Amino acid sequence: MEDQILLSLAAIGFIGIACQWFAWHFRLPSIIFLLIAGILVGPVTGFINPDELFGDLLFPIVSLGVAVILFEGGLTLRLDEIRGQRRVLRNLLVVGVILTWGISAAGAHYLMHFSWEVAFLFGALMTVTGPTVIKPLLRTIRPRSEIANILHWEGIILDVVGAILTVLVYQYIVTQQIGETIPVTLFLMILTGLTLGAAGAWLLASLLRRHLLPHYLHHVFSLALVLMIFAISNSLIHESGLLAVTLMGMMLANMKGIDIEDILFFKESLSVLLISVLFVVLAARLEISPLLDMGWTSLAMLALIMLVARPVSVMLSTMRSRLDWRARVLLAWVAPRGIVAAAVSALFALRLEELGHEEAGLLVPLTFLVIIGTVLLQGITARPLARRLKVMEPEPNGILILGANPLARAIAATLNSLGVITRLADTGWENVRRARMEGLDSYFGRVVSERAERNLNLSGIGKLLAISPNSSMNALAMIRFKNEFGAENVYYLMNSEEDISEDVHGRHFQFTGRQLFTEETTYAELAGMLSEGAKIHTTKLSEKFDFYDYREKYRNSAVLLFAVDPKSKLHFFTARDELLPETDWSICGLIPGELLEQENGEATINPGEASPGTVM
């Protein structure tokens, strides 16, 4: 018996992470593989029975898992990043939520014959979309930036807002059932959640600000504190814990002077494990027979949500906006449901059944039907629809630059002047701050994190330049984006001569892209040249001043960086591929400061024969 329990527990974890790997490999939402795997090991084969395996611990385990996931979701919600978004987004988060909630609830009542209480709970669950399913879809669809931004932020915010709305509706049902004063109980629930969430955020922030926690305890202490806040809040007022931990995460994310990147990185990794395990467990306890018994009405409910609730919400939310009808059609179609809807439905269905709401047993299978239907149908059809509507971005020729150091900023500014989209990413706030002050698009955080999966906008981006001084981060980023951009579009710069010597003996990090510039060129060398006054110049070649003349003029003094052909296509100089620019090409090279002084500060390489140079 013990061996069977041990095997089942290990299998759940392994299957969940294997599904994440399949999702990464096939570039599809992980929820598809997790649902299929859970159904196969659960109702199909009977290999895993969560109710027998966990017994009375199932509900507390699911509760704690959802608490951590929602806390991590709150940590990603930075209010300063939301400001400035389109009015459409605000309408979707207010008008859209109310309409989706009302239409879904009415459908559940009249089609599924749910009581109004359970129908409104189901409607609240249907307001939740999530970045875990939206982000992979956006990478596949590649819609125009305004569409991508709306869907991206809608998913992030609704992950939190929808969960809070569902908790409030559930609490209303419970207080009504046990005969308590509903307004008072709801007020106490919100007050408890706000108070304990704020207390938890203040305590953790104070410890971090005053350096009272050793670094190795940041992760585990924050996890323990989140679980304790959740448990205390729930013990005071039932189901107020989810509200407390969500608000705690939001408050921490928006406090000044608090570095939560390490905590967020840990929570993201933990959330991946929890999402994987919870989905397998929840799908394994899914009963298929109730769905089959419901017959056409369950399919009608799915159609109502996809073909009525979402389109009506989008139509009213986008009135008087600048979005054309094509963008509105795509917005009306894309709204997949994710992990929060699945986990919270299972969480509350258990309690409502105990309170005598028999129809609550249909909440989980019906919610899973909507999840499966929206993910599969929209995942398969969204890209062809976007192509037919002509709202897809052109081929992604933009560049993601890992690093916002002076060298990266100089390269990005030059590329921008040539019409190439760039996006810098760095974990150092000072570098990111300087980049933004220089008008460069930049992202603060790790590009290999779950947070970046949700928040890093890759619309129009198709290449990676790994030119940070951190070799390990460069290597991880190249592995991360090799599958997405292709190995031929991933470039890296060696950091020092030691890296190169290690390369000869095969001991360095496994760089899988193309080495920039030459075999001997390093980040340290180029950064040193910049600090000594070197600048990046852009020179247009002509018949009288060709590439050979350019090389002869500067010999070994200039470092050739990249070139743009007459068709505006960008080419990088690399260590192994010889690039021979021709007439009318523009070459960008890093020129030593003393040579610039010899040319009397002129911005052209060869007066009368070269176009004005670009100097950073």
Short mmCIF file of all heavy atoms in Angstrom, two decimals, residues 41-79:
data_model
loop_
_atom_site.label_atom_id
_atom_site.label_comp_id
_atom_site.label_asym_id
_atom_site.label_seq_id
_atom_site.Cartn_x
_atom_site.Cartn_y
_atom_site.Cartn_z
N VAL A 41 -4.81 9.34 -16.55
CA VAL A 41 -4.40 8.61 -15.33
C VAL A 41 -5.53 8.53 -14.32
O VAL A 41 -5.45 7.75 -13.36
CB VAL A 41 -3.16 9.26 -14.68
CG1 VAL A 41 -1.99 9.26 -15.65
CG2 VAL A 41 -3.47 10.68 -14.20
N GLY A 42 -6.58 9.35 -14.51
CA GLY A 42 -7.69 9.35 -13.57
C GLY A 42 -8.87 8.54 -14.04
O GLY A 42 -8.88 7.31 -13.91
N PRO A 43 -9.88 9.20 -14.62
CA PRO A 43 -11.11 8.48 -14.99
C PRO A 43 -10.94 7.42 -16.07
O PRO A 43 -11.72 6.48 -16.11
CB PRO A 43 -12.03 9.62 -15.47
CG PRO A 43 -11.13 10.75 -15.80
CD PRO A 43 -9.97 10.64 -14.89
N VAL A 44 -9.92 7.54 -16.94
CA VAL A 44 -9.77 6.56 -18.02
C VAL A 44 -9.13 5.28 -17.52
O VAL A 44 -9.66 4.17 -17.70
CB VAL A 44 -8.94 7.16 -19.19
CG1 VAL A 44 -8.66 6.09 -20.25
CG2 VAL A 44 -9.69 8.33 -19.81
N THR A 45 -7.96 5.37 -16.88
CA THR A 45 -7.23 4.17 -16.45
C THR A 45 -7.42 3.84 -14.98
O THR A 45 -7.21 2.70 -14.56
CB THR A 45 -5.73 4.33 -16.73
OG1 THR A 45 -5.21 5.41 -15.92
CG2 THR A 45 -5.48 4.64 -18.19
N GLY A 46 -7.79 4.84 -14.18
CA GLY A 46 -7.93 4.60 -12.76
C GLY A 46 -6.63 4.44 -12.01
O GLY A 46 -6.61 4.00 -10.85
N PHE A 47 -5.52 4.83 -12.63
CA PHE A 47 -4.20 4.69 -12.00
C PHE A 47 -4.08 5.59 -10.76
O PHE A 47 -3.47 5.21 -9.76
CB PHE A 47 -3.09 5.02 -13.00
CG PHE A 47 -1.72 5.02 -12.42
CD1 PHE A 47 -1.13 3.86 -11.94
CD2 PHE A 47 -1.00 6.21 -12.32
CE1 PHE A 47 0.14 3.86 -11.40
CE2 PHE A 47 0.27 6.23 -11.77
CZ PHE A 47 0.84 5.05 -11.30
N ILE A 48 -4.67 6.78 -10.83
CA ILE A 48 -4.60 7.72 -9.71
C ILE A 48 -6.02 8.12 -9.31
O ILE A 48 -6.81 8.57 -10.15
CB ILE A 48 -3.79 8.98 -10.07
CG1 ILE A 48 -2.32 8.61 -10.30
CG2 ILE A 48 -3.90 10.04 -8.98
CD1 ILE A 48 -1.47 9.78 -10.76
N ASN A 49 -6.32 7.94 -8.04
CA ASN A 49 -7.61 8.38 -7.48
C ASN A 49 -7.30 9.40 -6.39
O ASN A 49 -6.97 9.03 -5.26
CB ASN A 49 -8.38 7.20 -6.92
CG ASN A 49 -9.79 7.59 -6.48
OD1 ASN A 49 -10.03 8.74 -6.07
ND2 ASN A 49 -10.72 6.66 -6.55
N PRO A 50 -7.37 10.70 -6.70
CA PRO A 50 -6.97 11.73 -5.72
C PRO A 50 -7.74 11.65 -4.41
O PRO A 50 -7.17 11.89 -3.34
CB PRO A 50 -7.26 13.04 -6.46
CG PRO A 50 -7.20 12.68 -7.90
CD PRO A 50 -7.75 11.29 -7.99
N ASP A 51 -9.03 11.32 -4.44
CA ASP A 51 -9.82 11.28 -3.21
C ASP A 51 -9.33 10.18 -2.27
O ASP A 51 -9.26 10.38 -1.06
CB ASP A 51 -11.30 11.08 -3.54
CG ASP A 51 -11.87 12.27 -4.28
OD1 ASP A 51 -12.10 13.30 -3.65
OD2 ASP A 51 -12.06 12.18 -5.51
N GLU A 52 -8.96 9.02 -2.84
CA GLU A 52 -8.42 7.95 -2.00
C GLU A 52 -6.98 8.24 -1.60
O GLU A 52 -6.57 7.91 -0.48
CB GLU A 52 -8.47 6.62 -2.76
CG GLU A 52 -9.87 6.09 -2.99
CD GLU A 52 -9.86 4.75 -3.69
OE1 GLU A 52 -8.74 4.23 -3.95
OE2 GLU A 52 -10.94 4.21 -3.96
N LEU A 53 -6.22 8.86 -2.48
CA LEU A 53 -4.81 9.10 -2.22
C LEU A 53 -4.61 10.15 -1.13
O LEU A 53 -3.77 9.98 -0.23
CB LEU A 53 -4.12 9.56 -3.51
CG LEU A 53 -2.61 9.83 -3.45
CD1 LEU A 53 -1.86 8.56 -3.09
CD2 LEU A 53 -2.12 10.38 -4.79
N PHE A 54 -5.36 11.23 -1.19
CA PHE A 54 -5.17 12.33 -0.24
C PHE A 54 -6.19 12.35 0.89
O PHE A 54 -5.94 12.93 1.94
CB PHE A 54 -5.22 13.67 -0.98
CG PHE A 54 -4.11 13.85 -1.98
CD1 PHE A 54 -4.35 13.64 -3.34
CD2 PHE A 54 -2.84 14.21 -1.57
CE1 PHE A 54 -3.33 13.81 -4.27
CE2 PHE A 54 -1.82 14.38 -2.49
CZ PHE A 54 -2.06 14.17 -3.84
N GLY A 55 -7.36 11.75 0.67
CA GLY A 55 -8.37 11.71 1.72
C GLY A 55 -8.81 13.10 2.14
O GLY A 55 -9.07 13.98 1.32
N ASP A 56 -8.84 13.32 3.45
CA ASP A 56 -9.27 14.62 3.98
C ASP A 56 -8.27 15.72 3.72
O ASP A 56 -8.59 16.91 3.92
CB ASP A 56 -9.50 14.50 5.50
CG ASP A 56 -10.67 13.60 5.84
OD1 ASP A 56 -11.56 13.43 4.98
OD2 ASP A 56 -10.71 13.08 6.97
N LEU A 57 -7.06 15.38 3.28
CA LEU A 57 -6.05 16.40 3.00
C LEU A 57 -6.21 17.04 1.63
O LEU A 57 -5.54 18.04 1.33
CB LEU A 57 -4.64 15.79 3.10
CG LEU A 57 -4.16 15.37 4.49
CD1 LEU A 57 -2.80 14.70 4.39
CD2 LEU A 57 -4.09 16.57 5.43
N LEU A 58 -7.08 16.48 0.78
CA LEU A 58 -7.22 16.99 -0.58
C LEU A 58 -7.63 18.46 -0.58
O LEU A 58 -7.02 19.29 -1.26
CB LEU A 58 -8.24 16.16 -1.37
CG LEU A 58 -8.51 16.63 -2.80
CD1 LEU A 58 -7.24 16.59 -3.63
CD2 LEU A 58 -9.61 15.79 -3.45
N PHE A 59 -8.66 18.79 0.17
CA PHE A 59 -9.14 20.18 0.19
C PHE A 59 -8.09 21.15 0.74
O PHE A 59 -7.83 22.19 0.11
CB PHE A 59 -10.43 20.27 1.01
CG PHE A 59 -11.02 21.63 1.08
CD1 PHE A 59 -11.73 22.16 0.00
CD2 PHE A 59 -10.86 22.42 2.21
CE1 PHE A 59 -12.26 23.43 0.06
CE2 PHE A 59 -11.39 23.70 2.28
CZ PHE A 59 -12.10 24.20 1.21
N PRO A 60 -7.43 20.86 1.88
CA PRO A 60 -6.38 21.78 2.35
C PRO A 60 -5.21 21.91 1.37
O PRO A 60 -4.67 23.01 1.22
CB PRO A 60 -5.93 21.14 3.67
CG PRO A 60 -7.09 20.33 4.13
CD PRO A 60 -7.71 19.81 2.88
N ILE A 61 -4.82 20.82 0.73
CA ILE A 61 -3.70 20.89 -0.22
C ILE A 61 -4.05 21.76 -1.41
O ILE A 61 -3.26 22.61 -1.84
CB ILE A 61 -3.30 19.46 -0.67
CG1 ILE A 61 -2.62 18.72 0.48
CG2 ILE A 61 -2.36 19.53 -1.89
CD1 ILE A 61 -2.32 17.27 0.17
N VAL A 62 -5.24 21.57 -1.96
CA VAL A 62 -5.68 22.40 -3.08
C VAL A 62 -5.76 23.87 -2.65
O VAL A 62 -5.35 24.77 -3.38
CB VAL A 62 -7.03 21.91 -3.64
CG1 VAL A 62 -7.57 22.88 -4.68
CG2 VAL A 62 -6.89 20.53 -4.24
N SER A 63 -6.27 24.10 -1.45
CA SER A 63 -6.39 25.48 -0.95
C SER A 63 -5.03 26.15 -0.85
O SER A 63 -4.85 27.29 -1.30
CB SER A 63 -7.06 25.48 0.44
OG SER A 63 -8.35 24.94 0.37
N LEU A 64 -4.05 25.47 -0.27
CA LEU A 64 -2.72 26.04 -0.12
C LEU A 64 -2.06 26.28 -1.47
O LEU A 64 -1.38 27.29 -1.69
CB LEU A 64 -1.84 25.12 0.74
CG LEU A 64 -2.23 25.02 2.22
CD1 LEU A 64 -1.39 23.96 2.92
CD2 LEU A 64 -2.08 26.35 2.93
N GLY A 65 -2.27 25.34 -2.40
CA GLY A 65 -1.69 25.51 -3.73
C GLY A 65 -2.27 26.72 -4.44
O GLY A 65 -1.52 27.52 -5.04
N VAL A 66 -3.58 26.89 -4.38
CA VAL A 66 -4.21 28.04 -5.02
C VAL A 66 -3.76 29.34 -4.34
O VAL A 66 -3.55 30.36 -5.01
CB VAL A 66 -5.74 27.91 -4.96
CG1 VAL A 66 -6.41 29.18 -5.46
CG2 VAL A 66 -6.20 26.71 -5.79
N ALA A 67 -3.55 29.30 -3.03
CA ALA A 67 -3.10 30.49 -2.31
C ALA A 67 -1.74 30.95 -2.82
O ALA A 67 -1.52 32.14 -3.06
CB ALA A 67 -3.03 30.20 -0.81
N VAL A 68 -0.82 30.03 -3.00
CA VAL A 68 0.52 30.38 -3.49
C VAL A 68 0.44 30.91 -4.92
O VAL A 68 1.11 31.89 -5.28
CB VAL A 68 1.46 29.16 -3.41
CG1 VAL A 68 2.82 29.48 -4.06
CG2 VAL A 68 1.67 28.75 -1.97
N ILE A 69 -0.38 30.28 -5.76
CA ILE A 69 -0.52 30.71 -7.15
C ILE A 69 -1.08 32.12 -7.23
O ILE A 69 -0.61 32.97 -8.00
CB ILE A 69 -1.42 29.72 -7.92
CG1 ILE A 69 -0.71 28.37 -8.06
CG2 ILE A 69 -1.78 30.27 -9.30
CD1 ILE A 69 -1.60 27.27 -8.60
N LEU A 70 -2.10 32.43 -6.41
CA LEU A 70 -2.70 33.76 -6.43
C LEU A 70 -1.75 34.81 -5.83
O LEU A 70 -1.72 35.96 -6.28
CB LEU A 70 -4.02 33.77 -5.68
CG LEU A 70 -5.18 33.04 -6.37
CD1 LEU A 70 -6.44 33.14 -5.52
CD2 LEU A 70 -5.43 33.58 -7.75
N PHE A 71 -0.97 34.43 -4.83
CA PHE A 71 0.03 35.36 -4.29
C PHE A 71 1.06 35.71 -5.36
O PHE A 71 1.42 36.88 -5.54
CB PHE A 71 0.72 34.73 -3.08
CG PHE A 71 1.90 35.53 -2.58
CD1 PHE A 71 1.71 36.73 -1.93
CD2 PHE A 71 3.20 35.08 -2.78
CE1 PHE A 71 2.80 37.48 -1.48
CE2 PHE A 71 4.29 35.81 -2.33
CZ PHE A 71 4.09 37.01 -1.69
N GLU A 72 1.51 34.71 -6.08
CA GLU A 72 2.48 34.96 -7.17
C GLU A 72 1.84 35.80 -8.26
O GLU A 72 2.49 36.67 -8.84
CB GLU A 72 2.97 33.62 -7.73
CG GLU A 72 4.13 33.73 -8.70
CD GLU A 72 3.66 33.79 -10.14
OE1 GLU A 72 2.57 33.25 -10.42
OE2 GLU A 72 4.38 34.35 -10.97
N GLY A 73 0.54 35.58 -8.53
CA GLY A 73 -0.14 36.42 -9.50
C GLY A 73 -0.22 37.86 -9.04
O GLY A 73 -0.04 38.80 -9.83
N GLY A 74 -0.47 38.07 -7.75
CA GLY A 74 -0.48 39.42 -7.21
C GLY A 74 0.87 40.10 -7.31
O GLY A 74 0.95 41.31 -7.55
N LEU A 75 1.95 39.34 -7.15
CA LEU A 75 3.30 39.90 -7.25
C LEU A 75 3.61 40.44 -8.65
O LEU A 75 4.48 41.29 -8.81
CB LEU A 75 4.35 38.84 -6.89
CG LEU A 75 4.56 38.53 -5.40
CD1 LEU A 75 5.57 37.41 -5.25
CD2 LEU A 75 5.03 39.76 -4.65
N THR A 76 2.92 39.93 -9.66
CA THR A 76 3.18 40.37 -11.03
C THR A 76 2.35 41.58 -11.43
O THR A 76 2.54 42.12 -12.53
CB THR A 76 2.89 39.24 -12.03
OG1 THR A 76 1.48 38.93 -12.00
CG2 THR A 76 3.67 37.98 -11.68
N LEU A 77 1.45 42.01 -10.57
CA LEU A 77 0.52 43.09 -10.93
C LEU A 77 1.07 44.42 -10.44
O LEU A 77 0.80 44.87 -9.33
CB LEU A 77 -0.86 42.83 -10.31
CG LEU A 77 -2.01 43.71 -10.81
CD1 LEU A 77 -2.15 43.62 -12.31
CD2 LEU A 77 -3.30 43.30 -10.13
N ARG A 78 1.87 45.09 -11.29
CA ARG A 78 2.44 46.39 -10.97
C ARG A 78 1.54 47.48 -11.55
O ARG A 78 1.33 47.53 -12.76
CB ARG A 78 3.85 46.52 -11.53
CG ARG A 78 4.84 45.53 -10.91
CD ARG A 78 6.21 45.69 -11.54
NE ARG A 78 7.15 44.72 -11.04
CZ ARG A 78 7.93 44.89 -9.99
NH1 ARG A 78 7.88 46.02 -9.34
NH2 ARG A 78 8.77 43.95 -9.60
N LEU A 79 1.03 48.33 -10.69
CA LEU A 79 0.07 49.34 -11.12
C LEU A 79 0.68 50.34 -12.10
O LEU A 79 0.00 50.84 -12.98
CB LEU A 79 -0.48 50.09 -9.89
CG LEU A 79 -1.26 49.23 -8.90
CD1 LEU A 79 -1.73 50.07 -7.73
CD2 LEU A 79 -2.45 48.54 -9.58
#
